Amino acid sequence: ASDTVTAHEAVMTVDEERLRLEKEAEDLNNYIAVLTEAADKGETLDEESGKTAEEQQEEMMDILNGIYERLDALDAATAEVRARSILKGLGFTHEMQSKKTKDFSGGWRMRVSLARALFIQPTLLLLDEPTNHLDMEAVIWLEEYLS
């Protein structure tokens, strides 16, 4: 994670697939808005395919629905809450979650790294002495979280 981001941002940006899909959905929604405007005017935007704006809009909606289904499978709607919950479990107060990672000690940066690893919900997670930088509360939380 870059030193210029907050602890919360560091965790949120680790999920590259979710970020990519959210960007694609935004772009498609913008394109669909353009197609809707064109359809209202009866225009054909794609001269190569000869499809009407309405036909193109329908195709884009199918693609967008696929993206939304994948975002649902990734539980993207709860990403913010999950990130904050993991950070809180590892001992970060709300204020600390908004602090730049460069302002943390090495131990707290390790906690940010651990939070990033937990956030992406890997199938297999290998940890080498993950409790070295954790207090007892965070160790108990981690044990419960992983069980």
Side-chain angles (χ1 to χ4, degrees):
S2 172
D3 285 348
T4 61
V5 297
T6 66
H8 179 254
E9 290 167 344
V11 174
M12 289 294 291
T13 57
V14 74
D15 189 352
E16 294 173 4
E17 182 183 9
R18 179 185 52 81
L19 293 173
R20 181 183 52 77
L21 289 171
E22 286 174 345
K23 174 75 172 109
E24 284 180 27
E26 181 183 343
D27 292 347
L28 275 173
N29 275 315
N30 291 337
Y31 186 57
I32 289 169
V34 170
L35 290 173
T36 301
E37 204 173 293
D40 291 345
K41 296 176 184 174
E43 297 175 5
T44 301
L45 290 182
D46 189 354
E47 299 300 328
E48 284 182 31
S49 69
K51 293 181 180 174
T52 65
E54 288 172 337
E55 290 169 330
Q56 293 174 62
Q57 187 179 14
E58 192 173 315
E59 281 182 15
M60 294 301 113
M61 287 299 292
D62 289 343
I63 294 169
L64 187 60
N65 285 333
I67 290 172
Y68 283 143
E69 286 173 12
R70 180 63 185 145
L71 283 169
D72 281 347
L74 292 173
D75 206 13
T78 65
E80 176 99 16
V81 172
R82 283 187 298 117
R84 291 206 180 275
S85 174
I86 290 168
L87 285 166
K88 185 177 187 302
L90 292 174
F92 289 84
T93 63
H94 192 73
E95 295 76 33
M96 290 171 74
Q97 292 181 29
S98 300
K99 189 174 162 182
K100 300 272 187 229
T101 55
K102 69 179 179 184
D103 298 328
F104 285 112
S105 68
W108 284 100
R109 287 183 189 195
M110 288 302 298
R111 289 180 191 222
V112 170
S113 295
L114 180 58
R116 287 170 54 92
L118 295 172
F119 183 74
I120 57 173
Q121 300 172 323
T123 306
L124 178 65
L125 181 63
L126 296 176
L127 301 170
D128 182 18
E129 300 185 24
T131 60
N132 276 0
H133 298 283
L134 302 181
D135 56 21
M136 190 51 81
E137 272 183 48
V139 170
I140 291 169
W141 176 86
L142 179 60
E143 186 178 339
E144 289 174 5
Y145 183 86
L146 292 175
S147 62

